[in-house]
Amino acid sequence: MPSQQQQLIILRINGQRFSVSIEPSESLNYVIRERLGLTGTKRGCETGGCGSCTVLVDDLPVYSCMMYAMQAEGRNVVTVEGLQGAGGELDPVQKSFMEKGGLQCGYCTPGFIMSTKGLLLRNSKPSESEIRDALVGNLCRCTGYTKIFESVRAAASANSRKNR
Amino acid sequence: MSLAFKPNFYVKPKSLEEALEILSKYQDRAKIIAGGTGIYEVSHRGLLSETEALVDIGAIGLSYVRTEEAVLKIGACTTMSTLLASKQVGEDPRLAALADALRAIQPLQVKNVATVGGAICTALPFFDLPVALFCLAANVTIAPSGRREEIGKFVQGYFSVNLGPSELVREVELPLQEEKGGNGKSASAFEKFALTGDDWAIVNAGAHVTIEDGAISKSVVSVGGGVGEKPVIAAKSSKSIIGAKINNEQGIKDVLDKSVPLDIETVSDIRASAEYRLRVAKVVVRRAVLAACRRANI
């Protein structure tokens, strides 16, 4: 069986263009972490269940472990590293998780933050059930979720105060 | 990433013709990818070690939802999220089973990329959308020949659909004819029973009913989950509720309790025993039927 041909692709990540030579079977998660060194996005189950690999592709939360990097060409990818402002100020979602203590070990946190960011981009006043529905694909083994939901609610109300 | 899955190359054709050319050249050494979640699961389990060409059909214009002369046409590459957000699915009670099924598909990260065509062609019996499409008598249109096939015949078993190596599913069609004559009103519903908020269905069911003068005049019931190699059209259950008065919920329950076990043969697996599945199936089918009846009665 002939081996994989390396292909050169251009990925747009956090507003920056990266030219990278990859094999077709490499997932977006693998390329982000191992080839581009953006390790804020985590690798958990690699089978599309835990959500620690969640990134935004064209503002939509997706599992980067289940998407081949080649599929992301031509699309806008945002990882947790891309949420900070130009001067290093944290995104309101990141601030809320910090202030409300929505984490313990922190491993699931970037995934939750990206799912939350995706939620607030499409729905600035989510109801309780809309919050839960948006986070079904993110698992946490530490917190029991209570403080995570508080962080999301706080981020949503900070968001709607800002937009008034 | 699976060590066995090492496609030679990945290609993203810009037109249907180009895609078909590649498929025709590589035949079963090519694999179509749309959302990628199905391909990922299958390749991760070592099932695609012979694949040489990964053909991404995301850019050949198959993402659309449109109504043409009382037929709903859904492009095969339409994502679950896009379909759920569409006007037709949101508003038409006849299509409500689609909305229910799309809401049941979890999580959002999968819905945002998984496609209608992908769900049908991956052909796992516990998927949610195909079960809804079964009860709504959907047809698939296949390129290049343009042949149309009813989804119940197109889906053959685990990972198996009636598709040759140089063919692809282009579109899914749903008839929207309202009942002619009488005051019949149609609606559909879909119900899912799973262990957690984002697990596969233990049992799921779709129901499409037409109500006339307070009674069921037409019905199609589909069942999926652990009930066989593909979703089942529950023929006896569909027939058994014809004539039932929709305000006689106990009567409908009694009839379905007898007919559902005749329509399906449940399996035991890691999630549930066959006996438990059968008990749950009666409830899930009943709920789908009653929900469809209530919607039709509005």
Side-chain angles (χ1 to χ4, degrees):
Chain A
M1 254 271 342
S3 61
Q4 294 190 73
Q5 292 173 14
Q6 295 243 331
Q7 289 175 244
L8 192 69
I9 62 167
I10 301 193
L11 290 176
R12 204 158 56 231
I13 303 182
N14 300 331
Q16 256 193 291
R17 283 160 56 95
F18 293 92
S19 176
V20 62
S21 181
I22 68 167
E23 290 181 343
S25 67
E26 291 179 21
S27 65
L28 181 61
N29 183 264
Y30 180 85
V31 170
I32 288 172
R33 289 176 49 85
E34 311 298 332
R35 291 202 182 271
L36 301 178
L38 294 167
T39 54
T41 306
K42 302 307 175 197
R43 189 171 63 131
C45 65
E46 283 214 284
T47 53
C50 74
S52 64
C53 70
T54 304
V55 298
L56 296 183
V57 174
D58 295 338
D59 288 349
L60 300 173
V62 305
Y63 283 153
S64 64
C65 75
M66 275 188 123
M67 181 179 263
Y68 294 103
M70 311 228 46
Q71 291 176 274
E73 202 171 22
R75 305 186 73 175
N76 266 326
V77 179
V78 178
T79 68
V80 68
E81 289 92 344
L83 293 187
Q84 280 176 271
E89 62 275 17
L90 292 179
D91 184 275
V93 174
Q94 291 171 305
K95 276 204 207 107
S96 297
F97 270 77
M98 263 178 54
E99 283 161 13
K100 291 294 178 185
L103 67 153
Q104 288 181 22
C105 80
Y107 199 78
C108 70
T109 311
F112 268 102
I113 286 175
M114 297 318 290
S115 283
T116 304
K117 189 72 187 167
L119 169 66
L120 297 180
L121 282 172
R122 66 180 180 271
N123 179 357
S124 57
K125 284 207 186 75
S127 66
E128 197 59 31
S129 69
E130 283 168 335
I131 290 174
R132 281 166 187 266
D133 213 48
L135 299 181
V136 168
N138 290 82
L139 303 183
C140 173
R141 298 296 286 136
C142 297
T143 65
Y145 301 103
T146 305
K147 290 241 173 263
I148 291 178
F149 290 131
E150 279 180 28
S151 306
V152 176
R153 274 181 230 120
S157 61
N159 205 46
S160 57
R161 273 201 306 278
K162 186 185 76 178
N163 290 336
R164 224 172 284 163
Chain B
M1 297 183 313
S2 163
L3 294 174
F5 179 58
K6 296 279 185 202
N8 209 357
F9 65 94
Y10 167 105
V11 63
K12 194 164 186 174
K14 294 190 185 55
S15 69
L16 178 59
E17 290 69 36
E18 203 187 324
L20 291 169
E21 243 176 72
I22 298 167
L23 292 180
S24 169
K25 180 176 174 194
Y26 285 88
Q27 300 275 314
D28 47 23
R29 293 176 344 263
K31 211 63 191 166
I32 292 167
I33 187 170
T37 55
I39 288 283
Y40 186 86
E41 290 284 353
V42 165
S43 75
H44 203 76
R45 285 160 173 79
L47 294 176
L48 295 184
S49 51
E50 296 309 306
T51 302
E52 272 179 48
L54 204 52
V55 186
D56 186 333
I57 57 168
I60 63 174
L62 294 183
S63 177
Y64 54 83
V65 183
R66 47 185 184 238
T67 314
E68 276 172 24
E69 292 171 25
V71 175
L72 180 70
K73 297 190 173 195
I74 307 168
C77 291
T78 307
T79 66
M80 303 302 188
S81 292
T82 301
L83 185 58
L84 179 58
S86 73
K87 196 165 178 296
Q88 294 91 329
V89 166
E91 293 180 354
D92 192 338
R94 290 166 298 189
L95 302 177
L98 288 188
D100 292 340
L102 291 164
R103 273 190 285 268
I105 297 169
Q106 297 292 356
L108 183 61
Q109 288 94 322
V110 166
K111 269 203 280 244
N112 282 336
V113 298
T115 63
V116 173
I120 294 170
C121 293
T122 304
L124 287 170
F126 44 79
F127 278 6
D128 299 312
L129 185 68
V131 172
L133 291 171
F134 268 57
C135 82
L136 294 174
N139 287 305
V140 295
T141 304
I142 291 142
S145 65
R147 70 180 170 92
R148 283 163 75 247
E149 197 170 350
E150 212 203 292
I151 192 172
K153 297 206 171 61
F154 179 71
V155 177
Q156 295 171 325
Y158 282 116
F159 300 126
S160 175
V161 293
N162 186 21
L163 205 62
S166 37
E167 294 185 300
L168 62 84
V169 171
R170 191 161 58 76
E171 186 176 81
V172 177
E173 262 185 32
L174 285 123
L176 295 177
Q177 276 324 121
E178 188 58 85
E179 281 298 300
K180 292 212 163 62
N183 55 358
K185 283 163 69 182
S186 296
S188 65
F190 168 92
E191 285 277 334
K192 173 180 181 177
F193 180 74
L195 290 177
T196 66
D198 69 345
D199 199 9
W200 300 121
I202 287 185
V203 180
N204 51 19
H208 182 205
V209 301
T210 303
I211 311 294
E212 274 181 77
D213 298 322
I216 299 173
S217 61
K218 266 185 85 168
S219 103
V220 181
V221 174
S222 58
V223 188
V227 300
E229 288 205 12
K230 54 184 260 191
V232 163
I233 293 286
K236 295 190 176 71
S237 298
S238 304
K239 202 160 167 232
S240 72
I241 53 176
I242 308 271
K245 292 279 179 202
I246 62 173
N247 57 11
N248 180 10
E249 295 193 357
Q250 184 63 43
I252 290 174
K253 175 185 186 300
D254 291 338
V255 150
L256 288 172
D257 279 351
K258 292 202 189 70
S259 63
V260 167
L262 302 176
D263 280 320
I264 63 175
E265 201 175 311
T266 52
V267 300
S268 291
D269 65 13
I270 192 176
R271 284 179 173 77
S273 69
E275 293 81 5
Y276 183 72
R277 269 204 166 90
L278 185 58
R279 287 190 65 172
V280 165
K282 293 181 206 170
V283 177
V284 171
V285 167
R286 183 202 329 147
R287 284 184 185 167
V289 167
L290 292 179
C293 290
R294 278 181 218 122
R295 276 186 182 136
N297 203 34
I298 291 171

